[in-house]
Amino acid sequence: MRLLYFTDTHIRASNPKYRIDNYYESLKTKLQEIVQLVELFSVDYLLHGGDLFDLPWPPAKAVQMSVDFLEQIKVPVYIVSGNHDLLGQKLSTIENTMLWFLASRGLFRLLSPGDKIYLKQAGFTLQLSGQHYNAGIDKENKINSYCVKKKNCDIAIHIVHGMLLPQPFSPHVPATMIHQVAPLTEADFTLCGHAHLGYPAEEIDGKIFINPGSISRILALEWELVRVPQVVFLDFSGGKVQCQYIPLKSARPGFEVLRFK
Ligand SMILES: [Mn+2]
């Protein structure tokens, strides 16, 4: 079974403040590359970590880009909601969002908290679960959002839109540390979004924590000039457990697309 994971697409119609290229066209090109990667790697399932849209009620042009992209993906797509997909970042609004509407049209499936989906192929069983963003996710005692029990499967994957990090980012940014989650979750792979800069795969006690970062660059952070937008390929075929970050070839260098001053 082969999976491709990407996150924080932030599909929008207008140019973000710090972008000096045409963000819409650049994003469309990157999504086209992902369509090709799905075919090239014979991917069985495409996974998204949230913030599909930059706004919960995106302009028609942004919806068009997402539908055009999703219609080209011939495999099932699973997604969690990011804070940008929600009204006022409130999970209670999810049924009023474009994300919900597109899910209702069958373009992808939302991974609801508590649900476990079992994907089976040639004697291999994958348990897939997800946690939407919610306002308290990185506050005290909310670590459960990041934790799942593994049951009747070979590999468990949990997708979360929250600030799960290897180390603190800033005293002003509430975050949950990977080393706190590792002893409590039974997921073999925890796939995270929300932290746009991402980090290399982190392994603790055989559990792997992944965030490739946003495939879009919209923040006024110096690291955004340096990093390359990427996706993650997970291969469990033929007894393999392989995880590979794949930089997007179509992403232009940061200094060609961003200017902070
Ligand atoms: Mn985001």
Side-chain angles (χ1 to χ4, degrees):
M1 189 180 291
R2 299 184 178 93
L3 303 101
L4 199 72
Y5 173 68
F6 69 125
T7 189
D8 292 78
T9 33
H10 285 267
I11 296 173
R12 56 186 275 167
S14 61
N15 241 34
K17 186 175 176 190
Y18 300 104
R19 291 287 294 226
I20 50 175
D21 63 331
N22 184 325
Y23 178 86
Y24 186 88
E25 291 302 325
S26 294
L27 185 51
K28 209 156 90 174
T29 307
K30 280 184 274 190
L31 293 177
Q32 216 47 53
E33 184 173 349
I34 290 172
V35 170
Q36 288 164 6
L37 288 173
V38 167
E39 286 175 26
L40 188 69
F41 290 107
S42 304
V43 166
D44 299 298
Y45 300 97
L46 183 62
L47 311 176
H48 191 293
D51 284 355
L52 177 70
F53 293 113
D54 198 46
L55 292 167
W57 289 338
K61 204 177 152 192
V63 178
Q64 183 184 34
M65 192 204 299
S66 62
V67 172
D68 284 350
F69 164 64
L70 290 160
E71 282 183 345
Q72 290 180 75
I73 300 291
K74 303 299 179 201
V75 300
V77 180
Y78 292 93
I79 185 165
V80 294
S81 171
N83 50 314
H84 281 259
D85 296 309
L86 301 166
L87 280 85
Q89 308 205 1
K90 290 189 177 73
L91 184 52
S92 58
T93 69
I94 192 164
E95 292 185 23
N96 291 322
T97 66
M98 185 55 70
L99 188 77
W100 182 271
F101 175 72
L102 295 191
S104 77
R105 299 289 97 178
L107 285 164
F108 48 77
R109 180 162 169 185
L110 284 169
L111 291 168
S112 301
D115 277 3
K116 289 189 174 80
I117 291 168
Y118 289 91
L119 306 172
K120 293 173 195 267
Q121 193 185 75
F124 173 84
T125 303
L126 182 106
Q127 173 186 299
L128 183 64
S129 58
Q131 173 66 54
H132 303 309
Y133 176 85
N134 63 74
I137 195 166
D138 293 303
K139 302 268 166 64
E140 295 273 337
N141 304 322
K142 284 286 175 89
I143 207 160
N144 283 349
S145 297
Y146 291 103
C147 301
V148 287
K149 295 273 180 215
K150 184 178 175 181
K151 219 176 163 184
N152 304 327
C153 63
D154 298 292
I155 292 279
I157 291 183
H158 188 52
I159 307 178
V160 191
H161 194 91
M163 198 58 84
L164 184 67
L165 301 174
Q167 60 260 324
F169 177 66
S170 144
H172 308 294
V173 178
T176 303
M177 295 300 110
I178 289 172
H179 67 81
Q180 295 175 291
V181 174
L184 300 173
T185 187
E186 293 178 4
D188 300 286
F189 289 86
T190 303
L191 311 183
C192 249
H194 196 44
H196 279 208
L197 302 182
Y199 40 81
E202 179 109 343
E203 184 172 346
I204 299 179
D205 297 334
K207 296 164 198 170
I208 298 172
F209 297 83
I210 286 172
N211 181 343
S214 169
I215 70 153
S216 302
R217 290 162 292 185
I218 48 178
L219 302 173
L221 295 169
E222 273 185 46
W223 186 246
E224 287 293 58
L225 291 169
V226 177
R227 75 174 184 98
V228 179
Q230 52 192 356
V231 299
V232 181
F233 178 53
L234 293 160
D235 189 355
F236 305 115
S237 59
K240 273 185 288 194
V241 180
Q242 188 192 319
C243 160
Q244 191 189 343
Y245 280 44
I246 299 170
L248 292 178
K249 290 197 180 97
S250 60
R252 288 159 63 195
F255 64 86
E256 286 185 19
V257 302
L258 284 166
R259 189 186 295 133
F260 301 149
K261 286 169 192 159

